[in-house]
Amino acid sequence: MLQVTNLKASVSGNSGEKNIILRGVDFRVNAGEFHLILGVNGSGKSTFGKVLLGSSQYEQTSGTIEFLGEEISEKETFERAQMGIFLSHQSPPSLEGISAKEVLRAADKASNDKRTLFNFKKIFKNSLQLAGLSHDFIERELNVGSSGGERKKMEIASLLTIGAKLAFLDEIDSGLDVDALKMVSTGINTFSENKENAVILVSHSETILKYVKPTHVHVFCGGRIVATGGMELAKKVHSEGYGGVLDCETCIKSL
Ligand code: ADP
Ligand code: MG
């Protein structure tokens, strides 16, 4: 489904200098898989998600991103989203004056114009319920006045409503209480039960791993993936810290 090869990206500093953030990411996801990304703060995890979606904040300086067999590096963000890549925000913004329904219906129409308004509403209502939000959220301005937890739930309801194929969920579990975490996890599991879909979850916390079951685990360091394995890798990181899985000197030397 997704094949990323030697992906490098940088951001321009204030005085025009280029700061390299991604230094050669190799990453492959097949339909039906669930990938967990771990990594120290500032190692490039969020940047990776944004570069996948073609954020204009970053310049992709080399490498390829193939999604569903097509090279998408030159595509606009909306085109990548239309193809089925969904990126959840680490801090979901609010949009004054625009309801959640308007935002999601616009996205829905852009990606699947065959759905009737009736069907769209039905799916949106079910998705809200699954994510643990009341139907009031349909007409409310998107995330305006919403708590952090409600915003994360709205990200999951949006994912389930617009029918993406690949979900990149950036710290979707941060700041959630245990009940909200269970709701969000149920939403993620509903999405990943469809074996045509795939999930990439960035998370620091061990708690969410009680509710979701990644099939692959990766560790980011210095803008690239430096370790890959199964759940034993996540367990090792959580019990021993990153020092337990990284040869950090090698990692730092390669920066
Ligand atoms: P992570 O998600 O792994 O914590 P990020 O991808 O957010 O890390 O950031 C990686 C590094 O790139 C950090 O040092 C961060 O400050 C820097 N960075 C990310 N985006 C920008 C930006 N738009 N402008 C300047 N620096 C950035
Ligand atoms: Mg981040």
Side-chain angles (χ1 to χ4, degrees), residues 41-47 50 90 170-171 202 204:
N41 290 325
S43 57
K45 306 178 299 295
S46 297
T47 301
K50 289 188 245 176
Q90 196 168 342
D170 196 357
E171 298 200 27
V202 176
H204 288 295

Side-chain angles (χ1 to χ4, degrees), residues 16-87:
E17 80 283 7
K18 271 190 191 174
N19 296 318
I20 303 169
I21 303 177
L22 299 183
R23 297 169 182 269
V25 178
D26 291 306
F27 189 70
R28 183 189 172 90
V29 178
N30 295 312
E33 294 177 349
F34 191 134
H35 291 246
L36 174 68
I37 294 183
L38 305 171
V40 289
N41 290 325
S43 57
K45 306 178 299 295
S46 297
T47 301
F48 178 44
K50 289 188 245 176
V51 171
L52 277 184
L53 263 295
S55 163
S56 56
Q57 285 180 307
Y58 305 94
E59 187 192 346
Q60 183 182 331
T61 51
S62 75
T64 53
I65 307 173
E66 271 180 47
F67 182 62
L68 302 176
E70 235 187 290
E71 163 60 273
I72 61 167
S73 301
E74 296 299 321
K75 289 192 186 291
E76 299 289 340
T77 297
F78 77 88
E79 294 173 307
R80 302 181 197 207
Q82 277 175 340
M83 287 178 77
I85 312 181
F86 178 95
L87 173 66

Side-chain angles (χ1 to χ4, degrees), residues 184-219:
V184 162
S185 302
T186 304
I188 298 172
N189 288 332
T190 303
F191 178 78
S192 74
E193 271 160 20
N194 180 341
K195 294 302 168 206
E196 289 175 14
N197 294 340
V199 176
I200 303 168
L201 172 70
V202 176
S203 173
H204 288 295
S205 152
E206 215 177 341
T207 321
I208 194 168
L209 300 178
K210 283 188 202 158
Y211 308 111
V212 301
K213 300 293 165 216
T215 55
H216 299 69
V217 178
H218 312 271
V219 177

